[in-house]
């Protein structure tokens, strides 16, 4: 009887230890490309609800530009956005910016993964500077787009950062937070 009790207790302890070791809060399992895919699907769904058909084709969000901020051979769009954001790509494991192709919408979604947590504050400061740049642009340009900018969200989770200017930023933040 003692052997059964000991075996039972050991199995319970093992389950607890292994269960905690595989916690959903283990940020090492977060893939920014998967988060980005979910965000693109949400935007496509929102566009289709507004009457735009075929918003997402072959994984590409129609009417939007995607730039990889860590591209080693950054030229064109990637180089322009890396410079605009003033982010040193060597600080990032991954980084993306998703923006409309036409400059009549203030939508802007930026996903960053810092190489280490010591760089998160510097990256967050760059995102806050981007928000100020958006405020300066849109408050004088299109009032309805400026309203979106005023509802901007910048959030972090460990080494991960999210910047959202969007019609409904909470849906994008939820996608981001659900990854953790």
């Amino acid at each position: 009887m003692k052997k059964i009790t000991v075996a039972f207790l050991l199995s319970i302890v093992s389950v607890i230890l292994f269960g905690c070791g595989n916690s959903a809060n283990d940020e090492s399992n977060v893939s920014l490309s998967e988060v980005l895919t979910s965000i693109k699907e949400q935007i496509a769904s929102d566009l289709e609800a507004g009457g735009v058909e075929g918003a997402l084709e072959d994984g590409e969000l129609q009417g939007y530009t995607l730039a990889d901020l860590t591209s080693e051979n950054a030229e064109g769009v990637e180089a322009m956005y890396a410079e605009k954001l003033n982010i040193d790509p060597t600080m990032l494991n991954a980084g993306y910016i998703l923006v409309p192709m036409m400059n009549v919408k203030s939508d802007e979604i930026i996903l960053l993964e810092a190489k280490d947590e010591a760089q998160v504050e510097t990256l967050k400061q760059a995102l806050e500077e981007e928000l100020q740049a958006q405020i300066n642009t849109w408050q004088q340009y299109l009032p309805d787009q400026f309203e979106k900018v005023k509802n901007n969200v910048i959030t972090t989770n460990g080494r991960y950062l999210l910047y959202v200017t969007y019609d409904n930023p909470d849906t994008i933040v939820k996608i981001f937070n659900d990854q953790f």
Side-chain angles (χ1 to χ4, degrees):
M1 183 70 166
K2 277 186 175 180
K3 288 182 183 180
I4 294 173
T5 305
V6 170
F8 178 70
L9 289 174
L10 284 175
S11 64
I12 289 176
V13 169
S14 296
V15 168
I16 291 171
L17 289 176
F18 288 116
C20 291
N22 293 327
S23 169
N25 289 329
D26 182 8
E27 68 178 45
S28 63
N29 293 331
V30 174
S31 164
L32 275 194
S33 62
E34 290 176 16
V35 176
L36 180 63
T37 297
S38 296
I39 289 171
K40 290 193 296 186
E41 289 169 354
Q42 178 63 52
I43 293 171
S45 175
D46 293 345
L47 289 170
E48 288 171 2
V52 176
E53 291 186 31
L56 190 63
E57 293 180 12
D58 298 324
E60 297 296 320
L61 192 57
Q62 303 304 305
Y64 281 77
T65 297
L66 175 65
D68 180 347
L69 299 172
T70 59
S71 176
E72 289 183 19
N73 300 319
E75 45 184 60
V77 174
E78 274 99 6
M80 179 184 76
Y81 283 111
E83 184 178 323
K84 175 183 185 251
L85 296 172
N86 197 25
I87 291 176
D88 179 359
T90 64
M91 296 174 68
L92 302 173
N93 281 335
Y96 302 98
I97 182 169
L98 184 63
V99 295
M101 286 181 183
M102 303 297 284
N103 199 17
V104 294
K105 290 180 74 176
S106 63
D107 296 358
E108 188 169 278
I109 297 169
I110 304 169
L111 286 165
L112 304 174
E113 178 188 356
K115 284 198 176 173
D116 66 54
E117 285 200 46
Q119 297 162 325
V120 169
E121 196 55 41
T122 301
L123 292 170
K124 187 174 180 183
Q125 181 62 39
L127 296 179
E128 289 169 356
E129 290 171 9
E130 175 59 15
L131 174 58
Q132 189 58 51
Q134 267 201 309
I135 289 170
N136 293 341
T137 297
W138 294 102
Q139 71 183 359
Q140 299 175 30
Y141 189 40
L142 294 171
D144 64 322
Q145 297 302 306
F146 181 55
E147 288 303 312
K148 284 197 277 188
V149 174
K150 290 193 304 189
N151 293 321
N152 173 282
V153 176
I154 298 173
T155 188
T156 62
N157 192 326
R159 294 178 297 115
Y160 298 86
L161 299 94
L162 172 68
Y163 174 102
V164 182
T165 298
Y166 187 64
D167 290 318
N168 188 356
D170 294 339
T171 60
I172 306 302
V173 171
K174 182 178 180 342
I175 291 168
F176 177 77
N177 288 335
D178 285 351
Q179 299 300 309
F180 301 94

